[in-house]
Amino acid sequence: YGNDDRVFVHFKNGDIIEYSISDFKKLTSEKSTDWINLHDSIEYVERLMPEELLQQFSIIDSPGLDAKSYSSNKNLFELCRRNIVDGIC
């Protein structure tokens, strides 16, 4: 939840940089080959939105089973191993 619609990229090196909302799809899609080098350095992307319902819980969008990158599949495996995501593993 956030008071404004905002996107923050958390990098593996610890940096956090705010990006434009219009960049969100490019930041989170493996189909965006223009940003492929940037994707390798991202730990996760955080999206804040002024939706009251989001004050009660967080949504975690994990990679799909057909994810192309090794790191995406590794992350999905880790979520399953920790039983964080129920019903998909």
Side-chain angles (χ1 to χ4, degrees):
Y1 174 81
N3 292 325
D4 299 308
D5 198 355
R6 299 172 75 183
V7 173
F8 293 94
V9 176
H10 297 254
F11 291 93
K12 292 176 183 175
N13 69 2
D15 291 346
I16 302 171
I17 298 176
E18 185 170 3
Y19 280 79
S20 168
I21 297 301
S22 63
D23 293 330
F24 182 72
K25 189 170 184 176
K26 294 175 191 171
L27 288 165
T28 58
S29 173
E30 288 185 337
K31 294 178 182 177
S32 178
T33 57
D34 296 342
W35 293 31
I36 196 73
N37 291 332
L38 182 66
H39 289 170
D40 291 340
S41 64
I42 294 175
E43 184 72 27
Y44 65 95
V45 178
E46 178 181 25
R47 175 94 183 249
L48 303 177
M49 300 175 78
E51 296 292 334
E52 295 296 321
L53 191 57
L54 293 176
Q55 288 184 348
Q56 299 175 28
F57 60 90
S58 295
I59 298 171
I60 300 172
D61 182 20
S62 62
L65 295 175
D66 63 345
K68 293 177 177 52
S69 73
Y70 169 75
S71 62
S72 293
N73 285 319
K74 184 177 124 185
N75 291 341
L76 180 59
F77 173 77
E78 187 64 21
L79 290 171
C80 291
R81 188 182 70 77
R82 294 183 186 186
N83 294 318
I84 293 173
V85 179
D86 187 29
I88 66 164
C89 306

